[in-house]
Amino acid sequence: MEIRPEDVEVLIRHPFGDLWPTLAEWMERGPGPRTALRPVAARSRLTGEALPLSVIPLRYRNDGASLAAIARGEFTDPWAG
């Protein structure tokens, strides 16, 4: 079963408050100037059911594994200026 990015919400813990953008929005915009921001949870936008972080493609997780893969050249930084 394929999950559409529009149907997934990701939790972004932000100093000014938590955000739940869709995965599609996160994939498009990323962390912006706060480069340390990353998704810490995911849920179905349709049911509210918790989803594993693996629904977020590695390239867009902005975590240690993702940044290491980018550094190794496995894929490009999706938000590089």
Side-chain angles (χ1 to χ4, degrees):
M1 176 176 91
E2 186 174 325
I3 298 177
R4 297 174 347 135
E6 298 81 16
D7 295 336
V8 175
E9 294 177 323
V10 294
L11 173 60
I12 309 298
R13 297 227 183 261
H14 190 280
F16 297 114
D18 294 347
L19 306 169
W20 282 96
T22 65
L23 177 55
E25 292 169 329
W26 173 257
M27 290 169 72
E28 181 181 331
R29 297 186 187 121
R34 292 191 177 267
T35 57
L37 294 179
R38 63 183 180 85
V40 296
R43 68 182 179 196
S44 167
R45 187 178 63 80
L46 305 174
T47 67
E49 175 185 1
L51 299 170
L53 286 176
S54 60
V55 300
I56 303 168
L58 180 60
R59 182 178 187 200
Y60 297 98
R61 292 183 199 162
N62 205 37
D63 60 8
S66 172
L67 297 173
I70 290 169
R72 288 189 304 268
E74 292 179 28
F75 40 76
T76 59
D77 183 341
W79 307 296

